[in-house]
Amino acid sequence: MADPEKEAGDLAEAEATVSIAEQQVIEDTSVTEQTEEIIDFARTTEEQTDATQSTETALPSEQELLTLESSITEGLAERVDAATEPEEAHAEPPVQEEVADVKDLSDEVQSDVDTPAPVVEITPKTVRTLAENLSELSAETHAVDSTSSGVPESQIPEVPEDTEDFTTIVKIMLHPDIQVFTMAFDVNRTVGQMKQYFSSRLKIPLDVLQFMLLGRIMENSETLQDLGAKCHGTIQFDMFSLDEEHFPIKSSKLFQEYYMPGVIMVRVQKDANTFQDISIEITRPTFEKPFLGGFRHRLTGVEYHNAGSQTVPKKRPEKGYEEFCRSTQTAVEKKKLQQTRNTTSTQMTKIGVYVSNITDKLIEPKGYVTAEEYHARRLKAVIVIQTYFRRWNAINIVARLREEKRLRLEWEEQEEQRKEREKAERLRREYERRMHPKTKDDFELLYHALELWRQAELARIDGTFTGAERKAALCALLEREAELIASIGRHKLNADDENEQKAILSFLEKCASPKKWKAFDGKITEMDTQFTLRARELLEIYRSISMKDILQDERLDVLLTLKHTVKEHDCKLTHEIVELIDREADLMMRGVKEYNLEGLRQRICTLFLQYIKTPLFNPEVARYLKVPPDPMRLYHNIYFCLSCKSYLPSTDFAMTASSHTVGRCRRCCKLDNEARQREAFLKYKLMLRNLRQSEMNYKDDAKIAFLIQQQDLQYMVEKFWGSQSALSAWDDLYDLVMVRWDKYREWAPWNTVLLTKDEAEAHLKLTTLEKAYEMVFVHRIKHKHILSKNYFSQFPEMAAALHKGDKQACSSDLLVAKPLTPSSAKQSIREKTAR
């Protein structure tokens, strides 16, 4: 193997010789010209050799090498003969040496053809000559490539050198085979990375490979761009091994299979005499094409495979679980060697060997154990084990029960605290409703509290005073009661004023709401018509004129908008509204205070509300007026109240299930209650609301719960259920609810039970009532159901629902009849006879 230091010295000597030769050539012009011709001829021969080997899949044939060698020898001989003059004698040795080097190069090419991978030792002379030729050849590579296309250099576009996506063509001369390997690399690829690539392909250590460019060893940190390579350009350098004896570079490893370069040059004819070289980048497949089958020729034996597309297959999305599995139920076997921890041996005392017996133990045989004794001992041990296990199991059971008890007590405590909080919140709301009543239910509670106070005071007076003192106390109580009723009346007037404005806005919003209907998929569809849009426009104007504490300019804009709106219709009402608007605008311009304009503004709001409620100006409002514009509609669903002597729609009457006549209207019933009984029906209203909501959640078209009114529910709770829970006798009506006794049947007065909210939730989870409750409790509930049937069967609507429920119950209890066959009939007769 050649010494690296020796080779480096030979290379330095070759460079010095080349520099001396160049100085001699410069001094003699004629000799220099002849030398350049010989070098050009050698370069042309080298390019022909590269062109012959560019296929990268096969070496040049022997005939081509012989022809090439003869042409090189004849050309060099002619030039040497023409250059033999006396005054050029000092330049003859370099020319002859050049010819000899070219011949040596040809011999080496011929030897490469004869032997596939010979081990050639590079002599100092060969290294010197080869470095000189390759330096000149590599220096002119880019110039030759740029001029071969026929395009001027000024027209060639410059490629940016700082890009990372462009590649360049790299030609590598392999030594000592003298073969060219072409491949595309990134311009930012370092020499070290290329060494790693070729080291893996040639199976040569990384530190043995060396790259040389223009006679200079390339550093590992240098990139192709630093070495002068350009994007889509060409660069050539040499690669050789420092240890050719043990790690030679064999070109067969690189050329044993076809390897397409990353970039190929294609010459395109643009005009008649103009050609251009275009670089085409090769996109390599990132996946292995699947085998799709094929066929084999019966005579020739050639295989033909079905072709697949070159499109990258679409990657299936990951589902998060393993969809296919090749695992089987075969048992997994393992083979493992076992080795004891300590390797021991025995050694006995003998002649020449003394073994101490201090640590020895004397083992004596014990008594013989019979089978009965053995089993008795086993039974005793089993009893001991069972004893300890049962103790451990009992400890765990007790600990679990203790934990369940703790959790139960905590839950009960939390539920108790929750109930207390809910009760306190309910009392706070009731107190707030009594202090600041706003709705009818609030005043109902207030009158009920007044009645409770009056009864308590009356009981106190009856128990404390007698005679004249009692009469005086009763008079004082009456005066105090009158004062309280007057105070409640004042609160009612204030609430009526607030509620009136809310009722007007609610009425107008109802008129301006779009049409809504529910689709089959449960979605709500809304649609605006021209009438709803008109109602919405009038609603916005009414809200604007009802606003207070706004600026004068804003008020004038609102009045102007109102004026243009009402001027669309010419009538007495619109003339009056326009006149009032002009009067307010004039007073505002005169600087009149706002509190002096409140009456005028209230008149404008009242007249505009009358304008809105006119169907001629707002057609949508006709659907919501209590008095319809068509007089014929008054004859339908209009009833006469015997108490207030008024004709009212059916919705103003409280019709119970036991009603045979219309009776009094709701307003008269409320006044009578405030004057006499002063009862609060809020708790029954809440109970009825919860009942109807729970029936709606079943979605089984329940109807009876919506026929029952508040008075009917109150009668059931008080007369049949005693105003308390059927299970726990809890008497707070705010905590009681009505639920189905049999949850698989529709709710009815004869299929209900009064329970607390917690008891009702647990009751609805039961599947078999007879197993969950005792028979005494079941019979008591059945008895209440019979009472309800007897009471509600008197009314036509409830009687029809009762008969329908009885038919369903009877159909579910019918026996299944089976036809009798002759054999079964005979068998039944025999059984009767035997009896």
Side-chain angles (χ1 to χ4, degrees):
M1 182 181 68
D3 190 0
E5 297 181 358
K6 184 177 180 182
E7 289 183 358
D10 294 339
L11 292 175
E13 183 180 353
E15 291 178 359
T17 306
V18 171
S19 62
I20 296 173
E22 289 177 354
Q23 293 176 3
Q24 293 176 358
V25 172
I26 291 172
E27 293 174 358
D28 197 333
T29 307
S30 59
V31 177
T32 303
E33 293 176 355
Q34 294 176 1
T35 306
E36 290 177 354
E37 292 177 359
I38 295 172
I39 294 174
D40 291 340
F41 181 76
R43 186 180 300 111
T44 305
T45 306
E46 181 67 19
E47 292 176 357
Q48 294 177 357
T49 305
D50 294 343
T52 306
Q53 298 175 352
S54 62
T55 59
E56 300 181 3
T57 58
L59 296 176
S61 61
E62 181 178 357
Q63 185 65 27
E64 291 175 349
L65 291 176
L66 295 176
T67 306
L68 177 62
E69 180 182 0
S70 61
S71 62
I72 293 173
T73 306
E74 293 176 359
L76 292 177
E78 292 176 359
R79 283 162 175 76
V80 171
D81 294 338
T84 54
E85 294 184 2
E87 59 275 10
E88 298 173 356
H90 61 278
E92 185 176 354
V95 175
Q96 294 176 358
E97 186 176 1
E98 192 72 27
V99 174
D101 293 341
V102 175
K103 288 183 178 181
D104 294 339
L105 178 60
S106 177
D107 295 339
E108 291 174 0
V109 173
Q110 180 65 25
S111 63
D112 265 78
V113 176
D114 297 338
T115 58
V119 180
V120 181
E121 183 177 359
I122 302 176
T123 61
K125 179 179 179 181
T126 306
V127 173
R128 188 185 310 114
T129 306
L130 184 61
E132 182 178 355
N133 293 337
L134 293 178
S135 300
E136 296 175 357
L137 181 62
S138 300
E140 299 178 1
T141 299
H142 298 291
V144 172
D145 292 339
S146 61
T147 57
S148 61
S149 61
V151 182
E153 295 181 358
S154 61
Q155 298 180 2
I156 299 177
E158 294 184 0
V159 183
E161 297 180 0
D162 56 348
T163 182
E164 297 181 0
D165 298 331
F166 292 159
T167 58
T168 183
I169 299 176
V170 179
K171 294 183 178 181
I172 303 174
M173 178 69 74
L174 305 177
H175 294 282
D177 292 352
I178 313 300
Q179 294 217 12
V180 178
F181 178 79
T182 306
M183 189 174 180
F185 286 99
D186 195 335
V187 293
N188 290 328
R189 182 69 67 90
T190 62
V191 176
Q193 293 175 353
M194 290 190 295
K195 283 185 178 181
Q196 292 178 358
Y197 172 75
F198 286 102
S199 175
S200 61
R201 289 198 61 180
L202 297 173
K203 302 298 186 292
I204 295 178
L206 187 63
D207 54 352
V208 176
L209 284 178
Q210 287 293 339
F211 289 165
M212 184 172 61
L213 176 63
L214 300 178
R216 182 179 66 84
I217 302 299
M218 299 158 60
E219 300 293 337
N220 292 338
S221 60
E222 292 180 313
T223 62
L224 295 177
Q225 190 174 4
D226 297 335
L227 297 173
K230 295 184 178 180
C231 298
H232 304 302
T234 306
I235 186 173
Q236 180 172 348
F237 50 84
D238 304 321
M239 182 175 68
F240 58 92
S241 174
L242 298 178
D243 190 358
E244 294 182 353
E245 182 177 356
H246 296 88
F247 301 105
I249 297 178
K250 296 181 180 181
S251 59
S252 59
K253 293 183 178 180
L254 295 176
F255 295 103
Q256 62 184 356
E257 59 180 0
Y258 176 72
Y259 191 85
M260 180 177 286
V263 178
I264 61 175
M265 302 295 294
V266 179
R267 176 164 294 183
V268 180
Q269 183 176 2
K270 300 182 63 177
D271 297 331
N273 299 323
T274 306
F275 296 88
Q276 183 179 359
D277 290 347
I278 300 177
S279 300
I280 298 178
E281 185 173 355
I282 303 300
T283 302
R284 305 184 186 278
T286 58
F287 65 97
E288 183 179 357
K289 293 184 179 180
F291 176 71
L292 302 178
F295 61 92
R296 178 182 297 173
H297 198 281
R298 184 172 57 85
L299 300 177
T300 61
V302 179
E303 292 184 357
Y304 298 91
H305 294 174
N306 297 333
S309 62
Q310 296 182 357
T311 307
V312 179
K314 183 179 179 181
K315 186 178 181 181
R316 294 185 179 179
E318 296 183 359
K319 298 184 178 179
Y321 58 89
E322 188 177 2
E323 190 172 4
F324 301 101
C325 179
R326 294 179 59 87
S327 60
T328 61
Q329 297 181 357
T330 306
V332 180
E333 297 182 356
K334 291 184 179 180
K335 294 183 179 180
K336 187 175 180 182
L337 299 178
Q338 298 291 341
Q339 179 66 28
T340 58
R341 296 183 178 179
N342 298 326
T343 302
T344 59
S345 61
T346 57
Q347 180 67 48
M348 305 299 294
T349 302
K350 64 177 183 178
I351 300 174
V353 176
Y354 172 74
V355 178
S356 176
N357 56 2
I358 296 177
T359 58
D360 292 350
K361 295 180 180 179
L362 182 60
I363 299 176
E364 297 179 357
K366 297 182 179 179
Y368 179 75
V369 179
T370 62
E372 295 179 356
E373 294 176 351
Y374 172 77
H375 289 297
R377 188 172 60 184
R378 290 284 300 273
L379 179 60
K380 184 178 180 181
V382 167
I383 293 174
V384 172
I385 294 175
Q386 287 183 351
T387 302
Y388 281 99
F389 172 75
R390 291 173 180 174
R391 178 177 178 272
W392 171 81
N393 194 20
I395 292 174
N396 292 340
I397 293 174
V398 171
R400 185 173 68 253
L401 293 176
R402 187 182 293 110
E403 182 66 17
E404 291 178 358
K405 178 183 177 181
R406 184 185 65 82
L407 295 177
R408 177 69 182 184
L409 293 177
E410 289 182 358
W411 178 80
E412 290 179 355
E413 183 179 359
Q414 292 176 1
E415 289 296 316
E416 190 69 25
Q417 294 177 358
R418 180 181 62 81
K419 292 179 181 179
E420 291 179 358
R421 287 196 302 268
E422 291 179 355
K423 186 176 182 179
E425 182 66 19
R426 179 169 54 82
L427 294 177
R428 187 191 64 79
R429 287 197 304 268
E430 289 183 0
Y431 178 78
E432 185 69 21
R433 296 172 74 173
R434 291 173 184 174
M435 293 299 296
H436 305 283
K438 295 181 180 179
T439 62
K440 295 179 181 179
D441 295 335
D442 297 345
F443 287 101
E444 193 175 82
L445 290 175
L446 200 57
Y447 278 111
H448 181 64
L450 176 61
E451 179 65 18
L452 294 179
W453 172 81
R454 189 187 70 82
Q455 292 179 1
E457 290 293 322
L458 185 60
R460 185 181 64 81
I461 291 173
D462 292 342
T464 306
F465 304 103
T466 57
E469 294 181 353
R470 179 176 176 276
K471 291 182 179 181
L474 291 177
C475 292
L477 176 62
L478 182 61
E479 292 179 357
R480 180 61 179 166
E481 182 181 2
E483 292 178 359
L484 293 176
I485 292 175
S487 177
I488 294 174
R490 287 192 297 271
H491 281 290
K492 186 180 293 187
L493 292 177
N494 296 333
D496 289 342
D497 293 339
E498 296 179 4
N499 295 335
E500 182 181 5
Q501 187 66 21
K502 292 181 181 180
I504 292 173
L505 291 177
S506 176
F507 174 76
L508 297 180
E509 288 176 355
K510 190 184 299 183
C511 296
S513 60
K515 308 293 182 181
K516 299 180 181 180
W517 63 87
K518 191 174 183 180
F520 68 95
D521 54 354
K523 295 183 179 179
I524 303 298
T525 305
E526 298 182 357
M527 183 186 68
D528 282 319
T529 62
Q530 56 180 350
F531 299 145
T532 57
L533 295 176
R534 172 67 176 177
R536 194 173 303 162
E537 179 185 359
L538 297 177
L539 171 62
E540 296 298 330
I541 296 175
Y542 183 82
R543 283 177 175 173
S544 300
I545 65 174
S546 300
M547 294 177 61
K548 298 180 180 180
D549 302 330
I550 60 176
L551 300 178
Q552 182 177 353
D553 296 339
E554 295 178 355
R555 180 68 182 180
L556 290 175
D557 292 340
V558 172
L559 293 177
L560 184 61
T561 304
L562 176 60
K563 185 177 182 180
H564 290 317
T565 302
V566 299
K567 270 188 175 182
E568 296 176 359
H569 303 86
D570 189 8
C571 63
K572 182 179 178 180
L573 178 62
T574 57
H575 291 166
E576 188 175 355
I577 294 174
V578 171
E579 182 182 353
L580 293 178
I581 290 173
D582 294 338
R583 186 185 303 174
E584 181 182 356
D586 183 57
L587 293 176
M588 289 175 62
M589 298 303 296
R590 293 176 182 272
V592 179
K593 301 296 183 181
E594 290 189 2
Y595 59 85
N596 293 328
L597 298 176
E598 289 182 359
L600 180 59
R601 291 177 178 177
Q602 185 64 33
R603 287 185 61 191
I604 294 175
C605 289
T606 304
L607 291 178
F608 184 64
L609 181 61
Q610 183 179 353
Y611 175 86
I612 294 175
K613 289 184 177 181
T614 305
L616 179 62
F617 309 138
N618 185 16
E620 188 67 20
V621 79
R623 300 174 61 247
Y624 301 98
L625 290 177
K626 290 186 177 180
V627 180
D630 186 9
M632 299 302 297
R633 297 180 58 184
L634 292 174
Y635 294 97
H636 303 284
N637 296 329
I638 299 297
Y639 298 93
F640 180 72
C641 178
L642 298 176
S643 178
C644 62
K645 309 299 180 180
S646 301
Y647 288 95
L648 300 172
S650 59
T651 55
D652 290 345
F653 292 87
M655 303 293 293
T656 63
S658 59
S659 299
H660 296 280
T661 59
V662 176
R664 295 179 299 180
C665 62
R666 296 179 185 272
R667 185 171 177 273
C668 295
C669 293
K670 184 174 74 64
L671 289 176
D672 182 72
N673 179 54
E674 292 176 358
R676 298 180 181 182
Q677 292 87 3
R678 295 174 182 173
E679 296 181 0
F681 302 105
L682 179 61
K683 55 189 73 176
Y684 298 106
K685 292 179 181 179
L686 294 176
M687 189 181 298
L688 182 61
R689 187 186 308 167
N690 294 333
L691 172 62
R692 290 177 176 176
Q693 183 64 36
S694 63
E695 288 299 305
M696 289 175 60
N697 295 334
Y698 281 105
K699 298 180 180 181
D700 55 357
D701 298 332
K703 299 178 181 179
I704 302 178
F706 299 92
L707 295 177
I708 293 293
Q709 300 299 319
Q710 171 251 321
Q711 294 85 350
D712 301 326
L713 186 66
Q714 179 180 359
Y715 184 85
M716 290 173 55
V717 172
E718 293 178 354
K719 300 299 181 181
F720 300 152
W721 301 98
S723 300
Q724 62 183 6
S725 172
L727 274 176
S728 59
W730 185 260
D731 57 353
D732 190 356
L733 294 180
Y734 287 101
D735 296 335
L736 299 180
V737 291
M738 280 277 191
V739 294
R740 296 181 179 184
W741 170 252
D742 184 2
K743 63 180 179 179
Y744 302 106
R745 295 170 56 192
E746 180 185 359
W747 183 92
W750 48 88
N751 184 33
T752 183
V753 62
L754 184 62
L755 301 171
T756 63
K757 296 179 180 179
D758 298 334
E759 293 170 354
E761 183 179 359
H763 171 77
L764 294 177
K765 294 180 180 179
L766 300 177
T767 56
T768 306
L769 300 177
E770 288 75 8
K771 294 181 180 179
Y773 298 115
E774 295 181 355
M775 294 305 298
V776 177
F777 178 79
V778 174
H779 287 310
R780 187 166 68 248
I781 299 298
K782 295 288 186 182
H783 176 69
K784 297 181 183 297
H785 290 169
I786 294 173
L787 295 177
S788 299
K789 283 183 180 181
N790 295 334
Y791 174 76
F792 286 101
S793 61
Q794 306 173 16
F795 315 124
E797 291 293 334
M798 299 300 294
L802 176 61
H803 295 319
K804 182 179 178 181
D806 291 340
K807 290 180 181 179
Q808 293 178 354
C810 292
S811 62
S812 62
D813 296 337
L814 289 178
L815 295 177
V816 179
K818 297 182 180 180
L820 287 176
T821 60
S823 60
S824 61
K826 293 180 180 179
Q827 183 68 24
S828 60
I829 292 173
R830 291 175 184 173
E831 292 178 357
K832 291 180 180 180
T833 304
R835 291 176 183 174

